């Protein structure tokens, strides 16, 4: 867990051009239950930061630790450093310049799309839902797509169309940014419907996932390439999944 | 065969508001081979016509047959009638006010589409081929469709798109006239690709056939509802198919 | 909406050999809700009509508008024109010379067939239902088909047969007019049953749709080729679908 | 092998109301190869026959064996018995009152049907081939079926129709005798085409096999219920199959 | 209906070597409902019978009708003839020398097998049910099969095995009489399970049907080849099916 | 075409914080063939640039055009501006800070992977190929993945694994950046193999495409979100596809 | 039943290097119900044992039976022999040096895995359950596997992973002992999911079963190769299955 | 590589109740190519062995190394130890008490089965091939199986049956040892045929693999549970596979 927390913070500071050098987190054992609990806050006291990776610019208590004598000037330096850090911490979780836009071919796909939006939000990805049919509102669909591409915010498009999926391929054929098909598949016909998303003519780059949570995670992993906050959310989700498996394994062994 | 010939001519004259009352065709047996051969021409001598179904207006040799005496006036009447028939026969095979337009999503589908065109021509249906992709040239596709619908010539659209068929449904969602999907299916993937043509959202009326000859025949049967020449071609094709089966059966029995 | 209304009326008048030249419809904004409402009746006051496309024969109030003086004769002309219009308006919605006939192989398919009939009626297509099995009542099926083809009313046949579909192909092999297969597919076996409708030997032109509403729409689009009332219904349905999508999109954005 | 030969002869004599009581066949070992070879002819010398299962009527050399003295009368009895046997042996392999009739929907299925005919002939089942399409020659198909059912010869019908099989079900719906579907399935579409033979509405009893040899064997097994010659052929074929397996096993062990 | 009744009786008498020459059945119209009802009994009064097809041996009232005078001798002849007929009528519905035996691989398939038995019984085919697994009780299965084949009663075997069908092929590989697979297919896996019944190695002649009623009808059609009572039941079932369709069609037209 | 060229250049200059205000390209008609040809070079003469969108900083010939008099100072300004532009043009096509890494499970998939690499290179995406099996070299696979994620270059991973795809899901479960499955599907088994890439447990975000060109295009569209050169390549490819379709359509009409 | 009991005991004694020579079990008929019941205990009185197959070392009452006179020495020998047997009987059912370990990819598969454990226990196979995902906890999975392989207890691994099965192949690629896939298949997707367990790259030896009881039986049959107790359990289960079928058959005949 | 060699030798000595304590292998770098080559023989000089894990019984040169003085007695001890080792080394690769027996349903499956035998032999598993059909030679199949089970050599049965697999399930239902289905699947029908091996009724434990090499590896992994030579072969094969992947990866990077 410590490693994951470090990785996330390191990448966050890196986005402000600071190297996070080292960091500690203290854990304790809760005597009553034997659980390991976090016994620490994570603050400027617990880490060392070097702006631009330059040790001489270090902005943390280490300055204070390395002082031979405690002078007012040194204290001021520490204080200034802490102020500098406080200011930058505010920048660590910026409003993301990224988003997912879900197109659905029919309002009846709303519950499926809302699952995508919820999963996006849990990963810190802003998400908008639109209803537009490539078959029955072709020109309208093109117009909405053009508006989103024109706004300049990096956007992953997610196409949700039941039965024969014309929406994702039409979007992808007219977009320069990535389109993810996430068709709402029923058991009866899903294995037939999927092919309209997969068997695409040349010149189309849209990819397909089968589950709404996966569509959101896919969009997050794409946007994580250039957004450290979303990256941190993806990384944290992985850690939680791993912990969940460990706990389930432990439980299964006790049930024996 | 006589019945089929009569039905086709009856419907042709009906398109000019004339009732074809009866008709004969003479056949002979070719002594050398035992084949039955047509031993007749079909002309005004062999039938009786009543304009508007009114016997008094009859326009054929019957007038002559029913005369008690051969007067010049009667002969003139016969002559005038024959001239009247000759004039109208020219109208029996008009240039059809109907057509099929084949949209293909890729130029690589050309051989498949040419089979459709050839079959259409054999059934007397004018046929045009267009290359246009609903995925990669969406707006262009809409524009071409609008031009054809705007011209006022009754048109059956045939959509030929391999893999995921977005073309047929996009055309159908934007057209008021019938669209027939005729995807060029390969053995490996055909049974998966077909569903993109079949599993359509509500509000789309396009139907699907699997073979190019069937697409042409389907278009001809649709246009035959209001075009007696195409109707006659469809009817004649059926007769030929039936004769072919009879001959094959006879041959299979002789092989025994 | 105005464009669609104009297109439908233009085509209706065209069926009586009149050019509808221009037309207005007035809309207002309902202050309480902000909805746009139709604030007009569509009558001879709101359009200009030129019989045979000939301006000199114009049959509307424009005659009145263009008069330099209001003479009794001019008023009479206007009155005569209005009477002429009134008479022809009655002809605009004629009883259609067209129909759909649904054959079902078993009475147990009745609910499926009734959906087809209901959808047909909403599109102005008269629709009859028949029970006849190509397997178990082969000769009866042929006889019923021959009766319908003999009546001369342009007819689209719709074949509804569960499991192995012998009905559609047998009808199509014996008919000159179009046959649409609309098998009642269940989830379990539908993807297997469909092939009996699709994989047809050469010489058959019947096409297939999967949903009863689509069968009706397909029949309507076929008959719309030569019937302006049905054409108008198809066109209006498209407009309503488009409006429904716009409203759903608006709602999805507000839910955000 | 002896048991099988006995069973076949026993059933053959039973068809003439004679009990075959016992029988011997002599085998020898061919010294050069070690093969076991038949060293006997099967004739009246090698068996005992009791007409109507009545020992007193025995018709074979046993009469001679059981004589205390060789009188002329006894020899005459033996001679008469042998003549009686000779006469009946001629009846043992009668021209069968049974047949298979193969209907094919298209002459292109001829090679498939010829395999059926060849296999039928190897099993002693007379076999006729007919070309007739249930879709395109419906009435002709019904007429041919009626002729065969009217002739009174017990007949198994075999329906061979590629793609969607309308032929077998239409035959079965109009026949009282058994119909076997044997569709000529290709690898690409066979698994889809098969369902048109299998998924049949209620009231049809036709069964399906996948291979032409199996269709012939199925017909033979049906006719074997009441024809001892065909029964003997089926039984002999089983024995040969079993011997073939034993030889292949022996060879596989030697290859080790 | 009259034709069907005649065909069934003709074939029944033929089984006793009598030609049924002609026959009448009287129907009446029930005034209250307009229904046509049978107004007759079928007895020796209503037909003519010629033993061995020889008119001189005629055994019915016709003898009486053709008499010039009514003598005691003639009356006695009529009486003797009637007695002769009465005696033979008892033979018309003999206990059949035929049966179906259903093998099921598991007792859990009992409801499926009971449907087969019920349908068999409705067609006059005696039917026995056995539980025996070719996988888990292989030798037992072989032993039961041998017992049935040894009894000499013409038997159609029906194999009912869920999942992978080893039962039908193992029975068929060891039987000389026909085996019909009738696997109890569920929706989820039926389309996969069917192949174990269809894709059989060479040398097996068992055929497959999907529905229990069809298995019974198939068995009946096979046994009808040599049993006129079962033939009559099959023929009557066809008539009833045809009548049911006519009634359903009439009802569908009235619902219009 | 002009619009596309403008869009690509505008976005390129935007990456250097310059607004491309307007631009011209001159085309001519080649008299011999009627083709439209580019008759221009694109340079600083043909456009106007405003650094930081600030008109006062304009860096192009417009400065010269707007001069009232041609002074040395003005000429120097123009010259300085042109030098400034020349310097920055060098920065427009930087070595991209992005890449695709293709993992293949077996060296036998190399031809498939080389198609991906070729397509990547055509879109300006650096691409590396690695052989590593998630089944047989699990730990090695994890180690290679960790090295790539550790290098900090935004990377799209493409997993190429035939048959059961364990590679893509194992990569995705251990990666924070996007993984695209691109299984090399054969016709026989492709429709079965695909599901191992699609039917994934929760917590995995990898998406799937079926064709190698599509995998490369998908990777390019993802990286285009933050790389204007790759964006320009994607945009140009779309234009070329659109032009290809137009030419094919023109050709198909001439073939008529 | 006697044969099966003998086989099981014979093999048990063989594991202690003793030949069980013969044995009796007495049965009686329960008069009230006619059931056959076991009327015996199985002990040293009812069998003969020859250590190392050497008759001279026989350890049972036979020594006593074969005595000519009953001496104290002889009685002591018998007594010593019985003590020797008693001691060894304790060894006949040892704690098995074998086990099955079930890996499940998700805790949601617990009910499926518990069925495997229950079936294992009924067959005397110790069974442990573990939760570990090859996709999301790859390294953990490898570590757990290595621990089990390192312990030296012969182990059959059973992999339970829904949807795409990465678990079984990853285990098998890293194990030297057998891995059995037993995916928890649902009806809707099972026929697609199965392929991820079947279509494996070269170098993997894991096999697949569809049902949890079958996985346990498969593991037991593997371990039965070297464990006579498990062997005995498998043999007894077969006997019980066979008896169950006989009883069901008897019941089905009585229901007739 | 050293670790793998040690593991294999350790397990081999363990089968003789000796602990292999440590071991060295010397490698050198071939200057011309840079390849690492084995520069050592593996003999008693390079390892230490403790019989029964008891250090005092050590049987190797270590005795010599630990001597304070070289006495004749000590040398004799070393010599005796070396002789002791030489004797036991002969036992390290015993003729295995294990085998695979391949049943094929038809001699036409011989090439498939020979691939299994070749792979078995490469893994040190003796392998016999038998031809026997469960359908057509049911009793013969049972007899052969009983012979193999009666011989007491631990045996893995492999069932090879094309189309519908009755062989594997019939073997498994009658065997106590493991049965592996390895059906020879063609592309066209393989995905249908597989289900006859998978969808088995309760009470059968046979498992399925798709490829002949996998069947052999599966059998080897099963027999490796109690045979250290086979275990060593499996372990060595894994190492070779891993090395092959590393080399292929290196090559793919150089091709870049």
């Amino acid at each position: 867990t410590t490693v994951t927390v470090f990785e996330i913070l390191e990448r966050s500071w890196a986005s402000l051009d600071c190297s996070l050098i080292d960091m500690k987190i203290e854990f304790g054992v809760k005597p009553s239950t034997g659980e390991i609990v976090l016994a620490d806050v994570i603050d400027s006291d617990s880490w060392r930061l070097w702006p631009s990776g330059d040790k001489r610019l270090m902005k943390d208590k280490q300055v204070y630790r390395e002082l031979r004598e405690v002078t007012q000037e040194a204290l001021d330096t520490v204080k200034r450093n802490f102020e500098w850090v406080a200011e930058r911490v505010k920048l660590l979780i910026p409003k993301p310049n990224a988003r997912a836009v879900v197109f659905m071919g029919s309002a009846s796909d709303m519950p499926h799309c809302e699952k995508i939006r919820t999963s996006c939000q849990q990963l810190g990805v802003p998400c908008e839902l639109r209803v537009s049919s490539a078959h029955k509102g072709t020109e309208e669909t093109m117009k909405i797509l053009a508006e989103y591409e024109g706004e300049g915010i990096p956007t992953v498009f997610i196409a949700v169309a039941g039965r024969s999926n014309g929406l994702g391929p039409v979007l992808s054929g007219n977009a320069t940014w990535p389109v993810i098909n996430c068709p709402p598949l029923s058991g009866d016909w899903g294995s037939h419907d999927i092919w309209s998303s997969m068997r695409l003519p040349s010149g189309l780059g849209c990819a397909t996932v089968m589950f709404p949570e996966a569509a959101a995670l896919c969009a997050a992993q794409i946007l994580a390439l250039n957004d450290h906050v979303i990256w941190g959310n993806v990384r944290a989700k992985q850690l939680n999944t791993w912990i969940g498996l460990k706990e389930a394994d432990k439980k299964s062994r006790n049930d024996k």
Side-chain angles (χ1 to χ4, degrees), chain A:
Chain A
T1 298
T2 304
V3 170
T4 302
V5 170
F6 179 81
E7 281 179 18
I8 293 173
L9 289 174
E10 178 191 40
R11 195 167 287 231
S12 298
W13 279 109
S15 76
L16 299 177
D17 196 24
C18 288
S19 298
L20 178 64
I21 299 311
D22 60 22
M23 188 189 98
K24 72 163 174 55
I25 314 178
E26 289 172 15
F27 294 92
V29 178
K30 205 169 167 179
S32 54
T33 63
E35 278 181 295
I36 294 174
V37 295
L38 183 63
D40 205 0
V41 295
I42 299 170
D43 60 14
S44 297
D45 253 26
S46 352
W47 61 39
R48 281 185 296 158
L49 277 174
W50 298 354
S52 305
D54 182 344
K55 191 177 175 177
R56 292 163 304 177
L57 304 175
M58 65 169 74
K59 298 286 187 193
D60 49 47
K61 217 167 58 179
Q62 196 65 13
V63 172
Y64 176 81
R65 287 189 194 120
E66 289 175 358
L67 282 180
R68 293 195 189 149
E69 327 165 41
V70 180
T71 63
Q72 185 59 36
E73 186 190 15
L75 284 175
D76 284 358
T77 300
V78 171
K79 193 180 162 206
R80 269 202 314 281
N81 284 354
F82 272 56
E83 283 166 2
W84 182 92
V85 168
E87 190 181 320
R88 269 154 193 75
V89 162
K90 286 181 197 145
L91 301 173
L92 283 180
I93 308 187
K95 196 160 173 331
N97 184 37
R99 70 180 161 198
V101 172
V102 180
F103 282 73
M104 72 193 90
S106 157
S108 63
D109 296 328
M110 187 60 81
H112 185 83
C113 295
E114 278 170 353
K115 284 187 201 158
I116 298 176
R117 184 163 57 182
T118 301
S119 295
C120 277
Q121 286 164 348
Q122 287 166 352
L123 292 160
V125 176
C127 179
E128 290 186 35
L129 307 187
R130 301 301 299 264
V131 178
S132 193
S133 162
H135 294 141
K136 292 169 285 181
T138 316
E139 287 179 21
E140 200 69 17
T141 302
M142 307 282 288
K143 217 172 67 187
I144 299 175
L145 173 64
E147 285 169 13
Y148 281 110
E149 290 224 318
E151 286 179 16
I153 303 170
T155 303
V156 175
F157 299 103
I158 299 173
V160 172
R163 299 183 182 172
S164 180
N165 178 11
L167 185 56
V170 163
L171 287 176
S172 192
N174 290 282
T176 48
W177 284 339
V179 175
I180 303 168
N181 295 306
C182 183
L185 302 174
S186 72
D188 281 345
W189 290 101
S191 63
H192 302 100
D193 289 346
I194 195 78
W195 299 107
S196 60
S197 298
M198 300 298 295
R199 293 265 308 154
L200 298 179
S202 66
L204 298 180
C206 52
T208 304
V209 299
M210 270 185 76
F211 303 101
E213 295 77 10
L217 181 51
C218 183
Q221 287 176 319
I222 289 170
L223 297 172
L225 286 168
N226 287 282
D227 184 307
H228 71 276
V229 177
I230 295 173
W231 185 91
N233 290 333
V234 170
R235 190 70 188 79
K237 181 181 164 67
Q238 281 187 325
L239 181 66
N240 287 332
T241 298
W242 186 84
I243 291 170
L245 282 166
K246 293 283 286 184
E247 287 173 350
D249 183 37
K250 197 173 157 197
K251 188 159 173 304
S252 82
R253 306 195 73 185
N254 293 343
D255 284 354
K256 187 166 46 173

